[in-house]
Amino acid sequence: MGNLNPKTARRQKRHRRIRAQVSGTADKPRLSVYRSNKHMYAQLINDVTGETLVSASSLELKLDESLMDSAKSVGKTIAERGSKAGIDKVVFDRGGYNYTGRIETLAEAARANGLTF
């Protein structure tokens, strides 16, 4: 873990525990979420082959909205791109973050736009 602050170290420890049980396949990829102070990132990952199938981020979408609105936009975009790629079922990887705020908003937007998890 190196020189991380204690909060980041605890999040990474939680994430490792989650990842021990959550894995994506070609049929049901993993929806991985990362949250920085300014942006949200989401990927649909096939862990069997180690490839990212679809990705979306507030940085790439060039959103100048509130953080919650940009999380909703990223959730909607990842669901739409997943649908185009033929993906409708995923397993959710919250990345060690609590399921509140931006993480919850992104997940609910993805569900509302066609992803099932």
Side-chain angles (χ1 to χ4, degrees):
M1 288 192 290
N3 300 330
L4 300 175
N5 70 40
K7 192 172 182 179
T8 304
R10 284 193 311 268
R11 183 194 69 79
Q12 288 186 344
K13 188 175 180 181
R14 278 190 308 271
H15 191 209
R16 280 194 301 274
R17 268 196 320 261
I18 292 166
R19 284 287 293 120
Q21 295 183 355
V22 174
S23 181
T25 63
D27 298 335
K28 198 170 182 180
R30 174 170 56 101
L31 172 56
S32 176
V33 177
Y34 178 73
R35 179 189 83 192
S36 73
N37 287 337
K38 291 183 178 182
H39 298 287
M40 290 291 294
Y41 305 85
Q43 296 179 319
L44 296 179
I45 302 169
N46 178 354
D47 289 314
V48 175
T49 60
E51 71 175 316
T52 299
L53 306 172
V54 178
S55 68
S57 73
S58 59
L59 184 64
E60 162 215 0
L61 297 172
K62 294 185 172 61
L63 303 172
D64 19 331
E65 306 171 333
S66 71
L67 295 175
M68 294 297 266
D69 289 341
S70 64
K72 189 180 287 188
S73 297
V74 171
K76 180 181 180 209
T77 304
I78 196 77
E80 290 170 351
R81 291 180 182 175
S83 295
K84 285 182 187 174
I87 300 166
D88 58 348
K89 292 185 180 181
V90 298
V91 291
F92 188 61
D93 174 10
R94 60 187 172 93
Y97 301 106
N98 290 333
Y99 188 78
T100 59
R102 291 191 278 159
I103 302 297
E104 182 179 13
T105 302
L106 186 143
E108 304 225 344
R111 277 193 193 104
N113 287 285
L115 286 183
T116 305
F117 53 95

